[in-house]
Amino acid sequence: FWRIMVELQDISRLIEEGNTYLPGQKSGTRSAYYSNPDWSGVRLLDLASGADTGGAFSSHLVRVQKGCEVPDHLHENQWEWNAVLAGQGKMILDGREILFGPGDTFTTPPGVRHTVVADKEDIALLAVFVPGTM
């Protein structure tokens, strides 16, 4: 019982170790994490790319290391939805500073500047983009 409770506390690990199933595939697959070349300490794991969904949406597991951040940026044509899966940090959303923890979500419309800061511990986010990133 306790082992299950501990595993459920970090659902991001369960997602990392799971499979992704898409129509037309015989078995589930999972791509590997990759580092964002411009953002130190930020790694992404594609769950469904825009190419997989015909550009409709994309979903990614995002890990930000303690002391690092997803710096101030915006998406000109995409909505972004984030769910905090693990860790506590700070979001700067359109100039407003918001502290967050597991279970919190953020919706960012196109053209709105935002930053994610992992100042005291690693964080894990589930990020969904509409339309999808390729």
Side-chain angles (χ1 to χ4, degrees):
F1 170 78
W2 289 110
R3 183 182 65 78
I4 292 169
M5 293 303 290
V6 169
E7 286 178 358
L8 289 177
Q9 287 182 12
D10 190 355
I11 194 165
S12 60
R13 295 272 180 226
L14 296 174
I15 293 171
E16 285 175 341
E17 295 168 4
N19 293 304
T20 297
Y21 296 92
L22 298 165
Q25 287 182 326
K26 292 185 179 184
S27 63
T29 60
R30 180 58 51 86
S31 62
Y33 268 104
Y34 58 94
S35 295
N36 184 303
D38 299 321
W39 303 341
S40 176
V42 178
R43 297 180 307 134
L44 298 102
L45 176 66
D46 295 337
L47 303 174
S49 70
D52 295 328
T53 66
F57 77 96
S58 62
S59 59
H60 317 270
L61 192 58
V62 180
R63 288 211 172 261
V64 184
Q65 291 177 337
K66 173 183 173 181
C68 297
E69 69 180 26
V70 175
D72 182 58
H73 68 287
L74 60 82
H75 307 280
E76 290 188 20
N77 301 309
Q78 294 170 308
W79 283 83
E80 181 179 0
W81 178 79
N82 283 282
V84 181
L85 303 178
Q88 295 183 11
K90 174 175 56 179
M91 174 85 153
I92 302 170
L93 184 60
D94 202 22
R96 181 175 155 218
E97 186 174 302
I98 304 163
L99 300 178
F100 65 75
D104 291 335
T105 63
F106 298 92
T107 301
T108 309
V112 173
R113 303 198 73 76
H114 54 288
T115 304
V116 178
V117 181
D119 50 4
K120 297 180 182 172
E121 60 185 344
D122 293 354
I123 58 174
L125 306 168
L126 174 61
V128 178
F129 294 89
V130 176
T133 60
M134 296 298 194

